[in-house]
């Protein structure tokens, strides 16, 4: 009887250990790069997502980047404007897709570029990122004085119970020239 109970406990812990795979973005450095600092209407933005690490690790990412959330906000330090008119994030606009297990290492970071087109629409500027199913709109009036800050967050697919969920990207500021 004791042997079968011990065996049952061992099976339960084995299933927990193998069936509940967790993942995190701990110990990674996350940042964005853009091909320009200032964009004009009609430009295509090359937004590059970078995740680096000092030691080899496997990260899990949805094929369509659903768990790498990208959003935008207005900033202007001279006028004390900080993250106003925050946009929806791309994680809310994309469906679940296939999970990729990606091995990253010091000389092999995760790097992926998404393209966004900057368009004029009446009194607004529209940033369209088709791959992320994300459209962001800001008034030309605000963009004449304010910059856009690109924010990001890596959401673990199955976070560890102790994960602090503070896997933010270093923000990146860009300017859009609307005076054309």
């Amino acid at each position: 009887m004791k042997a079968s109970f011990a065996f049952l406990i061992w099976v339960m812990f084995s299933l927990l250990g193998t069936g509940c795979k967790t993942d995190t973005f701990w110990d990674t450095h996350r940042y964005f790069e853009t091909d320009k600092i200032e964009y004009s209407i009609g430009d295509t933005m090359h937004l590059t997502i970078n995740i680096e690490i000092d030691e080899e690790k496997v990260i899990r990412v949805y094929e369509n980047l659903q768990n790498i959330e990208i959003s935008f906000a207005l900033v202007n330090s001279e006028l004390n404007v900080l993250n106003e008119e925050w946009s929806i994030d791309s994680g809310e606009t994309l469906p679940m897709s296939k999970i990729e297990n990606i091995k990253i290492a010091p000389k092999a970071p995760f790097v992926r570029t998404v393209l966004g087109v900057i368009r004029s629409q009446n009194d607004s500027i529209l940033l369209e990122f088709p791959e992320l199913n994300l459209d962001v709109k800001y008034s030309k009036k605000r963009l004449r004085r304010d910059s856009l800050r690109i924010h990001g967050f890596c959401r673990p697919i199955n976070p560890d119970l102790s994960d602090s969920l503070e896997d933010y990207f270093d923000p990146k500021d860009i300017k859009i020239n609307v005076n054309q």
Side-chain angles (χ1 to χ4, degrees), residues 31-33 47-51 65 68 70 110-114 132 154 169:
Y31 64 96
F32 295 115
E33 292 179 306
L47 175 60
T48 303
I49 302 161
N50 296 282
I51 303 174
L65 301 177
I68 297 180
I70 298 171
F110 175 83
V111 178
R112 179 129 164 226
T113 300
V114 294
L132 300 175
C154 290
F169 280 76

Side-chain angles (χ1 to χ4, degrees), residues 61-67 97-100 112 131:
V61 175
Y62 285 109
E63 189 175 60
N64 67 356
L65 301 177
Q66 193 267 342
N67 66 317
S97 65
K98 180 181 170 190
I99 296 172
E100 296 180 334
R112 179 129 164 226
E131 184 177 352

Side-chain angles (χ1 to χ4, degrees), residues 7 14 50 53 88 95 98 102-103 107 122 129 147 153 163:
F7 178 74
S14 296
N50 296 282
I53 195 155
I88 190 169
K98 180 181 170 190
I102 300 169
K103 186 186 299 185
K107 294 188 180 188
N122 301 322
F129 290 86
S147 296
F153 179 73
D163 196 337

Side-chain angles (χ1 to χ4, degrees), residues 3 9 11 32 41 43 53 68-69 79 91 121 142 155:
I9 296 294
V11 167
F32 295 115
I41 296 167
D43 283 350
I53 195 155
I68 297 180
E69 302 174 354
L79 298 175
Q121 186 181 70
R142 288 297 302 263
R155 185 170 304 283

Side-chain angles (χ1 to χ4, degrees), residues 13 27 40 45 50 52 62 93 98-99 101 103 109 113 118 128 132 143 152 164 173:
F13 279 108
D27 301 324
S40 298
M45 178 191 302
N50 296 282
E52 298 177 345
Y62 285 109
T93 63
K98 180 181 170 190
I99 296 172
N101 292 311
K103 186 186 299 185
T113 300
I118 301 166
E128 300 171 322
L132 300 175
L143 289 174
S164 64
D173 292 350

